[in-house]
Amino acid sequence: MIELRNQTSEEIVKELSSTVKKLSDIHTDDRSLMSLCPEGLPSLQNVKEIMSLLWKLMFPELFFERTAIVSRIEYRIGITTERLFELLQEEIVIGLSCRPKRKEKVVIDNYPEAHDLSMKIISFLPELKRLLYTDINAILRKDPAAGNEVEIILCYPSVKAMLHHRFAHLIFSMNIPYLPRIISELAHSHTGIDIHPGATIGEYFAIDHGTGVVIGETCIIGNNVTLYQGVTLGAKSFRYDGNGTPLNIPRHPIIEDNVTIYSNATILGRITIGHDTVIGGNVWVTESLPAYSRVIQGGIRNDIFSYGAGI
C-alpha cells in the first residue's frame, strides 16, 4: 500500500520535478536507444496499411469493388501496387538505418538500396500469391468443415498468419531490422499464431484452428505439413558466448514433408521429424524420429488410488 499524506502545492511540484528529472536522464552516447534507430522508428500505421494493401492484391476478386473487377481491375491493382511500393521504400529506409554501423561516423544514403529491395519485394508478389493459394488448397483438402476457398480466406486465421509470415520471411531474408518482426506480431495479435519470420515453411502448409501455435526462428518445415492448435516447434536449450549472450544458431526442429502434428504437441531442439510422421496430441518430443513414425501418448491407466497415492 502507498501511504497517502497531505502535501502542499510546493511539495507536489518539487516531487514531480524530481521524478521528471530522473526520467529525463537518458543516454546520448552509443548506449542510447536513439543510437539504435537514428532515422526514427518504423510506422505501425504504415505497416498496417502495407498489409491491408497486400491483402487486396492477393485477393482482388474479394476486396476490390465489384465495378472495378469488371472494368478497371488492372488500373486498381496498379495504383495499389504503386502505393505499396512507396510505403515499403519508406519503411525499409528506416529499417536499414537501424543496422549496425561501422565505428567511424559516416552518413549512409539508404534510399538506393531501399528502392532496389522494394522492387524485389514487388516482383515476388505473384509467387507469394501462388504460395498462399497452396496453403488455402491444403486446408480445403484436409478440413471437412471448410466449405470453399472464400470461406477459408475470410474465416480461417491461418490464411492471415501465412500471408504475414511469407511476406515477413522475404523481408527477413533481406536483413532488414524490425519490419519483419512487426509484421509477424501483427498476425500474432490477430490470430494467436506466433511464427518467427526467420522460419522456413514449404508449400501446402495447413494450420487447423491455430490458437497457440508457436514456430521458432530457425525451424524448417517441408511441404504438405499440418499443425493443429497449441503446437510448439521450439528450442530445448541455448548456447552462450563468452559474454553470456545466447548464440543465434539453429536450435529449432526440422519437420520433413507430409507430417501431421496434433494439438498441444511440443517438439523441441534441433531434431528432425522424418517425412510422413504423425505425432499425437499432448506429446513431448526432444529426439529425432525416422520417417513414417507414429507417436502417441501412453495407454490410459485404470488403477484405484486413495489419498493422493500415485500422483
Coordinates of all heavy atoms in Angstrom, one line a residue, residues 127-199:
E127 N 4.6 -14.8 -56.9 CA 5.0 -16.1 -56.2 C 4.4 -16.1 -54.8 O 4.0 -17.2 -54.4 CB 6.5 -16.1 -56.1 CG 7.1 -17.3 -55.3 CD 6.7 -18.7 -55.9 OE1 6.2 -18.7 -57.1 OE2 7.0 -19.7 -55.3
L128 N 4.3 -15.0 -54.1 CA 3.6 -15.0 -52.8 C 2.2 -15.5 -52.9 O 1.7 -16.3 -52.1 CB 3.7 -13.6 -52.2 CG 3.0 -13.4 -50.9 CD1 3.5 -14.2 -49.8 CD2 3.0 -11.9 -50.5
K129 N 1.5 -15.0 -54.0 CA 0.1 -15.4 -54.2 C 0.0 -16.9 -54.5 O -0.9 -17.5 -54.0 CB -0.5 -14.5 -55.3 CG -1.9 -14.8 -55.6 CD -2.5 -13.9 -56.6 CE -4.0 -14.1 -56.8 NZ -4.6 -13.1 -57.8
R130 N 0.9 -17.4 -55.3 CA 0.9 -18.8 -55.6 C 1.1 -19.6 -54.3 O 0.3 -20.6 -54.1 CB 2.0 -19.1 -56.6 CG 1.9 -20.6 -57.1 CD 3.2 -21.0 -57.8 NE 4.4 -21.1 -56.9 CZ 4.6 -22.2 -56.1 NH1 3.8 -23.2 -56.2 NH2 5.6 -22.2 -55.4
L131 N 2.1 -19.3 -53.5 CA 2.3 -20.0 -52.3 C 1.1 -19.9 -51.3 O 0.7 -20.9 -50.7 CB 3.5 -19.4 -51.5 CG 4.9 -19.7 -52.2 CD1 6.0 -18.9 -51.5 CD2 5.2 -21.2 -52.1
L132 N 0.5 -18.8 -51.2 CA -0.7 -18.6 -50.3 C -1.8 -19.5 -50.8 O -2.5 -20.1 -50.0 CB -1.1 -17.1 -50.3 CG -1.9 -16.7 -49.1 CD1 -1.2 -17.0 -47.8 CD2 -2.3 -15.3 -49.3
Y133 N -2.0 -19.6 -52.1 CA -3.1 -20.5 -52.6 C -2.8 -22.0 -52.3 O -3.7 -22.8 -52.2 CB -3.4 -20.2 -54.1 CG -4.5 -19.2 -54.3 CD1 -4.2 -17.9 -54.5 CD2 -5.8 -19.6 -54.2 CE1 -5.2 -17.0 -54.6 CE2 -6.8 -18.7 -54.4 CZ -6.5 -17.4 -54.6 OH -7.6 -16.5 -54.8
T134 N -1.5 -22.4 -52.3 CA -1.2 -23.7 -51.9 C -1.7 -24.0 -50.4 O -2.2 -25.1 -50.1 CB 0.3 -24.1 -52.0 OG1 1.1 -23.4 -51.0 CG2 0.8 -23.8 -53.4
D135 N -1.5 -23.0 -49.6 CA -1.9 -23.1 -48.2 C -3.4 -23.2 -48.1 O -4.0 -24.0 -47.3 CB -1.4 -21.9 -47.3 CG 0.1 -21.8 -47.4 OD1 0.8 -22.8 -47.5 OD2 0.6 -20.6 -47.3
I136 N -4.1 -22.4 -48.9 CA -5.6 -22.5 -48.9 C -6.1 -23.8 -49.4 O -7.0 -24.4 -48.9 CB -6.1 -21.3 -49.8 CG1 -5.8 -20.0 -49.2 CG2 -7.6 -21.5 -50.1 CD1 -6.1 -18.8 -50.1
N137 N -5.4 -24.3 -50.5 CA -5.8 -25.6 -51.0 C -5.6 -26.8 -50.0 O -6.3 -27.7 -49.9 CB -5.1 -25.9 -52.3 CG -5.5 -25.0 -53.5 OD1 -6.7 -24.6 -53.5 ND2 -4.7 -24.7 -54.4
A138 N -4.5 -26.6 -49.2 CA -4.2 -27.6 -48.2 C -5.3 -27.7 -47.2 O -5.7 -28.8 -46.8 CB -2.8 -27.3 -47.6
I139 N -5.8 -26.5 -46.8 CA -6.9 -26.5 -45.8 C -8.1 -27.1 -46.4 O -8.9 -27.9 -45.8 CB -7.1 -25.1 -45.3 CG1 -5.9 -24.5 -44.6 CG2 -8.4 -25.0 -44.5 CD1 -6.0 -23.0 -44.3
L140 N -8.4 -26.8 -47.7 CA -9.6 -27.3 -48.3 C -9.6 -28.8 -48.4 O -10.6 -29.5 -48.3 CB -9.7 -26.6 -49.7 CG -11.0 -26.8 -50.5 CD1 -12.1 -26.2 -49.7 CD2 -10.9 -26.2 -51.9
R141 N -8.4 -29.4 -48.6 CA -8.3 -30.8 -48.7 C -8.4 -31.5 -47.4 O -8.8 -32.7 -47.3 CB -6.9 -31.2 -49.4 CG -6.8 -30.8 -50.8 CD -5.7 -31.6 -51.5 NE -4.5 -31.8 -50.6 CZ -3.4 -31.1 -50.7 NH1 -3.3 -30.1 -51.6 NH2 -2.4 -31.3 -49.9
K142 N -7.9 -30.8 -46.3 CA -7.8 -31.5 -45.0 C -8.8 -31.2 -44.0 O -8.9 -31.9 -43.0 CB -6.4 -31.2 -44.5 CG -5.2 -31.6 -45.3 CD -3.9 -31.1 -44.8 CE -2.7 -31.5 -45.7 NZ -1.4 -31.1 -45.2
D143 N -9.7 -30.2 -44.3 CA -10.7 -29.9 -43.3 C -12.1 -30.0 -43.9 O -12.5 -29.2 -44.7 CB -10.4 -28.4 -42.8 CG -11.4 -28.1 -41.6 OD1 -12.2 -28.9 -41.2 OD2 -11.3 -26.9 -41.2
P144 N -12.8 -31.0 -43.5 CA -14.2 -31.2 -44.0 C -15.1 -30.0 -43.6 O -16.2 -29.9 -44.3 CB -14.7 -32.5 -43.4 CG -13.8 -32.7 -42.2 CD -12.5 -32.0 -42.5
A145 N -14.8 -29.2 -42.6 CA -15.6 -28.1 -42.3 C -15.4 -26.9 -43.2 O -16.2 -25.9 -43.1 CB -15.3 -27.7 -40.8
A146 N -14.4 -26.9 -44.0 CA -14.1 -25.8 -45.0 C -15.0 -25.9 -46.2 O -15.0 -26.9 -46.9 CB -12.7 -25.8 -45.4
G147 N -15.9 -24.9 -46.4 CA -16.9 -25.0 -47.5 C -16.2 -24.8 -48.8 O -16.4 -25.5 -49.8
N148 N -15.5 -23.7 -48.9 CA -14.8 -23.3 -50.2 C -13.7 -22.3 -49.9 O -13.4 -22.0 -48.8 CB -15.8 -22.8 -51.2 CG -16.6 -21.6 -50.6 OD1 -16.0 -20.7 -50.0 ND2 -17.9 -21.6 -50.8
E149 N -13.0 -21.9 -51.0 CA -11.9 -21.0 -50.8 C -12.3 -19.7 -50.2 O -11.5 -19.1 -49.4 CB -11.2 -20.7 -52.2 CG -10.5 -21.9 -52.8 CD -11.4 -22.8 -53.6 OE1 -12.7 -22.7 -53.5 OE2 -10.9 -23.7 -54.3
V150 N -13.4 -19.2 -50.5 CA -13.9 -17.9 -50.0 C -14.0 -18.0 -48.5 O -13.6 -17.1 -47.7 CB -15.2 -17.4 -50.6 CG1 -15.7 -16.1 -49.9 CG2 -14.9 -17.1 -52.1
E151 N -14.7 -19.0 -48.0 CA -14.8 -19.2 -46.6 C -13.5 -19.3 -45.9 O -13.3 -18.7 -44.8 CB -15.6 -20.5 -46.3 CG -15.9 -20.7 -44.8 CD -16.7 -22.0 -44.5 OE1 -17.2 -22.6 -45.5 OE2 -16.8 -22.3 -43.3
I152 N -12.5 -20.0 -46.5 CA -11.2 -20.1 -45.9 C -10.5 -18.8 -45.8 O -9.9 -18.4 -44.8 CB -10.4 -21.1 -46.7 CG1 -10.9 -22.5 -46.5 CG2 -8.9 -21.1 -46.2 CD1 -10.3 -23.6 -47.5
I153 N -10.6 -18.0 -46.9 CA -9.9 -16.7 -46.9 C -10.5 -15.8 -45.9 O -9.8 -15.1 -45.1 CB -10.0 -16.1 -48.3 CG1 -9.2 -16.9 -49.3 CG2 -9.5 -14.6 -48.3 CD1 -9.4 -16.6 -50.7
L154 N -11.8 -15.8 -45.7 CA -12.5 -14.8 -44.8 C -12.5 -15.3 -43.4 O -12.4 -14.4 -42.5 CB -14.0 -14.7 -45.3 CG -14.2 -14.0 -46.6 CD1 -15.7 -13.9 -46.9 CD2 -13.6 -12.6 -46.7
C155 N -12.4 -16.6 -43.1 CA -12.7 -17.1 -41.8 C -11.6 -17.8 -41.1 O -11.6 -18.0 -39.9 CB -13.9 -18.0 -41.8 SG -15.4 -17.2 -42.5
Y156 N -10.6 -18.3 -41.9 CA -9.5 -19.1 -41.2 C -8.3 -18.3 -40.9 O -7.7 -17.6 -41.8 CB -9.1 -20.2 -42.2 CG -10.1 -21.4 -42.2 CD1 -11.4 -21.2 -42.6 CD2 -9.6 -22.7 -41.8 CE1 -12.3 -22.3 -42.5 CE2 -10.5 -23.7 -41.8 CZ -11.8 -23.6 -42.2 OH -12.7 -24.6 -42.2
P157 N -8.0 -18.2 -39.6 CA -6.9 -17.3 -39.2 C -5.5 -17.7 -39.8 O -4.6 -16.9 -39.9 CB -6.8 -17.5 -37.7 CG -7.5 -18.8 -37.4 CD -8.6 -18.9 -38.5
S158 N -5.4 -19.0 -40.2 CA -4.1 -19.4 -40.7 C -3.8 -18.7 -42.0 O -2.6 -18.6 -42.4 CB -4.1 -21.0 -40.9 OG -5.1 -21.4 -41.8
V159 N -4.8 -18.3 -42.8 CA -4.5 -17.6 -44.1 C -3.9 -16.3 -43.8 O -2.9 -15.9 -44.4 CB -5.8 -17.5 -44.9 CG1 -5.6 -16.7 -46.2 CG2 -6.4 -18.8 -45.2
K160 N -4.4 -15.6 -42.9 CA -3.8 -14.3 -42.5 C -2.4 -14.5 -41.9 O -1.5 -13.7 -42.2 CB -4.7 -13.5 -41.5 CG -4.1 -12.2 -41.0 CD -5.1 -11.4 -40.2 CE -6.1 -10.8 -41.1 NZ -7.0 -9.8 -40.4
A161 N -2.3 -15.5 -41.1 CA -1.0 -15.7 -40.5 C 0.1 -16.1 -41.5 O 1.2 -15.6 -41.4 CB -1.1 -16.9 -39.4
M162 N -0.3 -16.9 -42.5 CA 0.7 -17.3 -43.5 C 0.9 -16.2 -44.5 O 2.1 -16.1 -45.0 CB 0.2 -18.5 -44.3 CG 0.3 -19.8 -43.4 SD 1.9 -20.0 -42.6 CE 2.9 -20.2 -44.1
L163 N 0.0 -15.3 -44.8 CA 0.2 -14.2 -45.7 C 1.3 -13.3 -45.0 O 2.3 -12.9 -45.6 CB -1.0 -13.4 -45.9 CG -0.9 -12.0 -46.6 CD1 -0.2 -12.2 -48.0 CD2 -2.2 -11.2 -46.7
H164 N 1.1 -13.0 -43.7 CA 2.0 -12.2 -43.0 C 3.4 -12.9 -42.9 O 4.4 -12.2 -43.1 CB 1.5 -11.9 -41.5 CG 0.5 -10.8 -41.4 ND1 -0.8 -11.0 -42.0 CD2 0.5 -9.6 -40.8 CE1 -1.5 -9.9 -41.7 NE2 -0.7 -9.0 -41.0
H165 N 3.4 -14.2 -42.6 CA 4.6 -14.9 -42.4 C 5.4 -14.9 -43.8 O 6.6 -14.6 -43.8 CB 4.5 -16.3 -41.9 CG 5.8 -17.1 -42.0 ND1 6.8 -16.8 -41.1 CD2 6.2 -18.0 -42.9 CE1 7.8 -17.6 -41.4 NE2 7.5 -18.3 -42.5
R166 N 4.8 -15.3 -44.8 CA 5.5 -15.5 -46.1 C 6.1 -14.1 -46.6 O 7.2 -14.0 -47.1 CB 4.6 -16.1 -47.1 CG 4.3 -17.6 -46.8 CD 3.7 -18.3 -48.0 NE 3.3 -19.6 -47.7 CZ 4.1 -20.7 -47.6 NH1 5.4 -20.6 -47.7 NH2 3.6 -21.9 -47.3
F167 N 5.3 -13.1 -46.3 CA 5.8 -11.7 -46.7 C 6.9 -11.3 -45.7 O 8.0 -10.8 -46.2 CB 4.6 -10.7 -46.6 CG 4.9 -9.4 -47.1 CD1 5.2 -9.2 -48.5 CD2 4.9 -8.3 -46.3 CE1 5.5 -7.9 -49.0 CE2 5.2 -7.0 -46.8 CZ 5.5 -6.8 -48.1
A168 N 6.8 -11.5 -44.4 CA 7.8 -11.2 -43.4 C 9.1 -12.0 -43.7 O 10.2 -11.4 -43.5 CB 7.3 -11.4 -42.0
H169 N 8.9 -13.2 -44.0 CA 10.1 -14.1 -44.2 C 11.0 -13.6 -45.4 O 12.2 -13.6 -45.3 CB 9.7 -15.5 -44.5 CG 10.8 -16.5 -44.8 ND1 11.6 -16.9 -43.7 CD2 11.2 -17.1 -45.9 CE1 12.5 -17.7 -44.2 NE2 12.3 -17.8 -45.5
L170 N 10.3 -13.1 -46.4 CA 11.0 -12.5 -47.6 C 11.8 -11.3 -47.1 O 13.0 -11.1 -47.4 CB 10.1 -12.1 -48.7 CG 10.7 -11.3 -49.8 CD1 11.6 -12.1 -50.6 CD2 9.6 -10.7 -50.7
I171 N 11.2 -10.4 -46.3 CA 11.9 -9.2 -45.8 C 13.0 -9.6 -44.8 O 14.1 -9.0 -44.8 CB 10.9 -8.2 -45.2 CG1 9.8 -7.8 -46.2 CG2 11.6 -7.0 -44.6 CD1 8.7 -7.0 -45.7
F172 N 12.7 -10.6 -44.0 CA 13.7 -11.1 -43.0 C 15.0 -11.5 -43.8 O 16.1 -11.3 -43.3 CB 13.1 -12.2 -42.2 CG 14.0 -12.7 -41.2 CD1 14.1 -12.2 -39.9 CD2 14.8 -13.9 -41.4 CE1 14.9 -12.7 -38.9 CE2 15.6 -14.4 -40.4 CZ 15.7 -13.8 -39.2
S173 N 14.8 -12.2 -44.9 CA 15.9 -12.7 -45.7 C 16.8 -11.6 -46.3 O 17.9 -11.9 -46.7 CB 15.4 -13.7 -46.8 OG 14.7 -12.9 -47.8
M174 N 16.2 -10.4 -46.3 CA 17.0 -9.2 -46.8 C 17.7 -8.5 -45.7 O 18.3 -7.4 -45.9 CB 16.0 -8.3 -47.5 CG 15.3 -8.9 -48.7 SD 14.1 -7.7 -49.4 CE 13.7 -8.6 -50.9
N175 N 17.7 -9.1 -44.5 CA 18.4 -8.5 -43.3 C 17.9 -7.1 -43.0 O 18.8 -6.2 -42.7 CB 19.9 -8.5 -43.6 CG 20.4 -9.9 -43.7 OD1 20.1 -10.8 -42.9 ND2 21.2 -10.2 -44.7
I176 N 16.6 -6.8 -43.1 CA 16.1 -5.5 -42.7 C 15.5 -5.6 -41.3 O 14.7 -6.4 -41.0 CB 14.9 -5.2 -43.7 CG1 15.4 -5.1 -45.1 CG2 14.3 -3.8 -43.2 CD1 14.3 -4.9 -46.1
P177 N 16.1 -4.9 -40.4 CA 15.7 -5.0 -39.0 C 14.2 -4.5 -38.7 O 13.7 -3.7 -39.5 CB 16.6 -4.1 -38.2 CG 17.8 -3.9 -39.1 CD 17.2 -3.9 -40.5
Y178 N 13.6 -5.0 -37.7 CA 12.3 -4.6 -37.1 C 11.1 -4.9 -38.0 O 10.1 -5.5 -37.5 CB 12.3 -3.1 -36.8 CG 13.4 -2.6 -35.9 CD1 14.0 -1.4 -36.0 CD2 13.9 -3.4 -34.9 CE1 15.0 -1.0 -35.1 CE2 14.9 -3.1 -34.0 CZ 15.4 -1.8 -34.1 OH 16.4 -1.4 -33.3
L179 N 11.1 -4.5 -39.3 CA 9.9 -4.6 -40.1 C 9.4 -6.0 -40.1 O 8.2 -6.2 -40.0 CB 10.2 -4.1 -41.5 CG 9.0 -4.0 -42.5 CD1 8.0 -3.1 -41.9 CD2 9.5 -3.4 -43.8
P180 N 10.2 -7.1 -40.3 CA 9.6 -8.5 -40.4 C 9.0 -8.8 -39.0 O 7.9 -9.5 -39.0 CB 10.9 -9.3 -40.6 CG 11.9 -8.4 -41.3 CD 11.7 -7.1 -40.7
R181 N 9.6 -8.5 -37.9 CA 9.0 -8.8 -36.6 C 7.7 -8.1 -36.4 O 6.8 -8.6 -35.8 CB 10.0 -8.5 -35.5 CG 11.2 -9.4 -35.5 CD 10.9 -10.9 -35.3 NE 10.1 -11.2 -34.1 CZ 10.7 -11.5 -32.9 NH1 12.0 -11.5 -32.8 NH2 10.0 -11.8 -31.9
I182 N 7.7 -6.8 -36.8 CA 6.4 -6.1 -36.6 C 5.3 -6.7 -37.4 O 4.2 -6.9 -36.9 CB 6.6 -4.6 -37.1 CG1 7.6 -3.9 -36.1 CG2 5.3 -3.9 -37.1 CD1 8.0 -2.5 -36.6
I183 N 5.6 -7.1 -38.7 CA 4.6 -7.8 -39.5 C 4.1 -9.1 -38.8 O 2.9 -9.4 -38.8 CB 5.1 -8.1 -40.9 CG1 5.4 -6.7 -41.6 CG2 4.2 -9.0 -41.7 CD1 6.1 -6.9 -42.9
S184 N 5.1 -9.9 -38.3 CA 4.7 -11.2 -37.7 C 3.9 -10.9 -36.4 O 2.9 -11.7 -36.2 CB 6.0 -11.9 -37.3 OG 6.7 -12.3 -38.5
E185 N 4.2 -9.9 -35.7 CA 3.5 -9.7 -34.4 C 2.1 -9.1 -34.7 O 1.2 -9.3 -33.9 CB 4.3 -8.7 -33.5 CG 5.5 -9.4 -32.8 CD 5.1 -10.6 -32.1 OE1 4.1 -10.6 -31.3 OE2 5.8 -11.7 -32.3
L186 N 1.9 -8.5 -35.8 CA 0.5 -8.0 -36.2 C -0.3 -9.3 -36.4 O -1.5 -9.3 -35.9 CB 0.5 -7.2 -37.4 CG 1.0 -5.8 -37.3 CD1 1.1 -5.1 -38.7 CD2 0.0 -5.0 -36.4
A187 N 0.2 -10.3 -37.1 CA -0.5 -11.5 -37.3 C -0.8 -12.3 -36.0 O -1.8 -12.8 -35.7 CB 0.2 -12.4 -38.3
H188 N 0.3 -12.3 -35.1 CA 0.2 -12.9 -33.8 C -0.9 -12.4 -33.0 O -1.7 -13.1 -32.4 CB 1.5 -12.8 -33.1 CG 1.6 -13.5 -31.8 ND1 2.6 -13.3 -30.9 CD2 0.8 -14.5 -31.2 CE1 2.4 -14.0 -29.8 NE2 1.4 -14.8 -30.0
S189 N -1.0 -11.0 -33.0 CA -2.0 -10.4 -32.1 C -3.4 -10.6 -32.7 O -4.4 -10.7 -31.9 CB -1.8 -8.9 -32.0 OG -1.9 -8.3 -33.3
H190 N -3.6 -10.8 -34.0 CA -4.9 -11.0 -34.6 C -5.3 -12.5 -34.6 O -6.5 -12.8 -34.5 CB -4.9 -10.5 -36.0 CG -5.1 -9.0 -36.2 ND1 -4.0 -8.2 -36.3 CD2 -6.2 -8.3 -36.1 CE1 -4.4 -6.9 -36.4 NE2 -5.7 -6.9 -36.3
T191 N -4.4 -13.4 -34.6 CA -4.7 -14.8 -34.9 C -4.3 -15.7 -33.7 O -4.8 -16.9 -33.7 CB -4.1 -15.3 -36.1 OG1 -2.6 -15.4 -35.9 CG2 -4.4 -14.4 -37.3
G192 N -3.4 -15.3 -32.8 CA -2.9 -16.2 -31.8 C -1.9 -17.2 -32.3 O -1.4 -18.1 -31.6
I193 N -1.5 -17.0 -33.6 CA -0.5 -17.9 -34.2 C 0.8 -17.1 -34.2 O 0.9 -16.0 -34.8 CB -0.9 -18.3 -35.6 CG1 -2.2 -19.1 -35.6 CG2 0.2 -19.1 -36.3 CD1 -2.8 -19.3 -37.0
D194 N 1.9 -17.6 -33.6 CA 3.2 -16.9 -33.5 C 4.2 -17.6 -34.3 O 4.8 -18.7 -33.9 CB 3.5 -16.9 -32.0 CG 4.8 -16.1 -31.7 OD1 5.4 -15.6 -32.6 OD2 5.2 -16.1 -30.5
I195 N 4.5 -17.0 -35.4 CA 5.6 -17.6 -36.3 C 6.7 -16.6 -36.5 O 6.4 -15.5 -36.9 CB 5.0 -17.9 -37.7 CG1 3.7 -18.8 -37.6 CG2 6.0 -18.7 -38.6 CD1 3.1 -19.1 -38.9
H196 N 7.9 -16.9 -36.1 CA 9.0 -16.0 -36.3 C 9.3 -15.9 -37.8 O 9.2 -16.9 -38.5 CB 10.3 -16.6 -35.6 CG 11.4 -15.6 -35.5 ND1 12.2 -15.3 -36.6 CD2 11.8 -14.9 -34.4 CE1 13.0 -14.4 -36.2 NE2 12.9 -14.1 -34.9
P197 N 9.6 -14.7 -38.3 CA 9.8 -14.5 -39.7 C 11.0 -15.3 -40.3 O 11.1 -15.5 -41.5 CB 10.0 -13.0 -39.9 CG 10.3 -12.5 -38.5 CD 9.6 -13.4 -37.5
G198 N 11.9 -15.7 -39.4 CA 13.0 -16.5 -39.9 C 12.7 -17.9 -40.2 O 13.5 -18.6 -40.9
A199 N 11.6 -18.4 -39.8 CA 11.2 -19.8 -40.0 C 11.0 -20.0 -41.5 O 10.4 -19.2 -42.2 CB 10.0 -20.2 -39.2

